[in-house]
Amino acid sequence: MSAHGTAWHVPEDDLRAYARGEATPPRLWSTDTHLASCAQCRETLAALSDPVALDAGWERLDAELDAPRPGLVESLLVRVGVAEHTARLLAATPVLRRSWLGAVLAVLVMTVVAADAVRTTATPTMFLALAPLLPLAGVALSYGPVLDPTYEMTVVSPTHSFRLLMIRTVAVLTVSLGLNGLATLALPSYGLRALAWLLPALALTGSGLALTPRLGPVLAPSLVGGAWIAVLMAARSAAEAHATLAPFTAAGQGVAAAVAVLATGLLYLVRDRFDASRVPLTDTFRGGTA
């Protein structure tokens, strides 16, 4: 430090090194401490600093302060190796938020409790009927202008519509099937029969996706869900009392597997329709047809 009268100040050479980022401990620490309380040294430092570098530093600081902080889900996805832009798209998926997940958990818990309390058949019919609809609803709500806060951004972004849909579909299916699987573990007395929801869930979700380019993300899953309910009602009317419904028998599971495979193939064939034109796709999401 240099002395002027009774006050001590940082030498100019040290201030120059500090401004260039070349100061080293312990001189760096003492300079930091002194600058916090000495206006004269701060003025000298400002005069010695490169104004261009100083402005660039302020711009970097402003950009860092204004940058959105990634949430917990986004941070975890980045940590496990997911690309930042993909993690941002997944984190913005509406049905991966706590409100939706909480609602799904509540529905599953009530259904499991009801299925375990009312054991009228050898299979948990109520649970098996509802479980396939949850992934279908989740996928339907994960893409479109109604609930997607980033929808307008995705319309004008270079990300292909089909790729975005597939990214979110995989995420939603992973979460939904995982929750359904946990609910299945709460029905151990039914054994493997409690897993009869899996193939119908894949069949319904695949069918809803395959029909989306033609019917839109609202009508397509609505029709598929309605068809599932109609099939269950028909199976109930045709089945004997306390008998396992046809969709949950071995034959019914085979049909569900075949539908899932066919729907996946059809989805692959119509994948280009998702990206053919962003404007017609926007109109589709607003209630029209592609």
Side-chain angles (χ1 to χ4, degrees), residues 13 41 64 74 76 80 83-84 87 118 150 153 156 161 200 227-228 262 264 278-279 282:
D13 289 343
C41 284
E64 183 67 22
E74 184 177 347
L76 290 176
V80 298
E84 290 187 5
V118 185
T150 63
M153 190 190 318
V156 297
S161 299
W228 170 247
L262 291 175
T264 302
R278 291 296 179 98
V279 175
T282 304

Side-chain angles (χ1 to χ4, degrees), residues 143 159-169 209 213 267-275 278 281:
Y143 192 65
T159 304
H160 293 302
S161 299
F162 182 73
R163 180 175 180 272
L164 174 60
L165 181 61
M166 288 299 98
I167 289 174
R168 289 187 168 178
T169 295
L209 288 173
L267 178 61
Y268 178 79
L269 293 177
V270 301
R271 67 191 184 280
D272 292 337
R273 293 192 180 185
F274 288 92
D275 302 307
R278 291 296 179 98
L281 191 59

